[in-house]
Amino acid sequence: MATSISDALQRASRNCAERGLAFTPIRQRVLQLLLENPKGLKAYDLLARIKAEQPSATPPTVYRALDFLTEHQLAHKIERNATFVACTRDSHIEPGIFLVCPQCGGITELADVGVLQALCRALADAGHQLDNPEVEIGATCPACRPA
Ligand SMILES: [Zn+2]
Ligand SMILES: [Zn+2]
């Protein structure tokens, strides 16, 4: 396992412990698969992979694990691609901003807290509330941008 992945799992585990949440083996495994696939996985791909390892796993178990991870911002659902990605930040309570490349489907989570807080303030000033904690922006990634 790559160090960054095991680091991220340890961080998530600490995060859960601090918040009194149970980081069960299925939740860990789902998060690990998401960490191993930076472009994200669709729910059914994730289910297929889990089922390949644990034939007894049922769709609700996997979907509940995904719900847990997204609810606690350890992973995020990107509606545009209907994919789930692991959170790349230490932890956050504010929404995340995601740059989604229309060419390759690459997803980057912005880590600029100032931008996020400014966005929240601007939304509140306009009297609006976010529907999802994931804000998606279509933006061509450096690898797909013409030189
Ligand atoms: Zn995040
Ligand atoms: Zn791209």
Side-chain angles (χ1 to χ4, degrees), residues 16-89:
C16 286
E18 280 164 13
R19 293 192 268 174
L21 306 168
F23 197 37
T24 60
I26 182 81
R27 291 169 177 174
Q28 291 181 38
R29 186 63 191 132
V30 168
L31 184 59
Q32 190 183 339
L33 282 168
L34 293 179
L35 287 163
E36 288 168 358
N37 293 275
K39 285 190 180 171
L41 287 172
K42 297 190 190 300
Y44 60 78
D45 288 332
L46 204 53
L47 180 64
R49 287 176 203 225
I50 300 269
K51 267 192 117 39
E53 315 172 337
Q54 302 174 35
S56 62
T58 58
T61 341
V62 175
Y63 297 148
R64 272 201 302 272
L66 275 174
D67 284 347
F68 171 86
L69 295 173
T70 51
E71 184 186 338
H72 299 289
Q73 305 255 57
L74 297 169
H76 299 289
K77 183 174 188 193
I78 306 302
E79 300 281 350
R80 184 179 294 244
N81 298 356
T83 50
F84 291 88
V85 290
C87 180
T88 54
R89 298 172 53 200

Side-chain angles (χ1 to χ4, degrees), residues 39 100-107 139-145:
K39 285 190 180 171
V100 186
C101 177
Q103 318 269 343
C104 68
I107 296 165
T140 307
C141 78
C144 295
R145 236 172 37 208

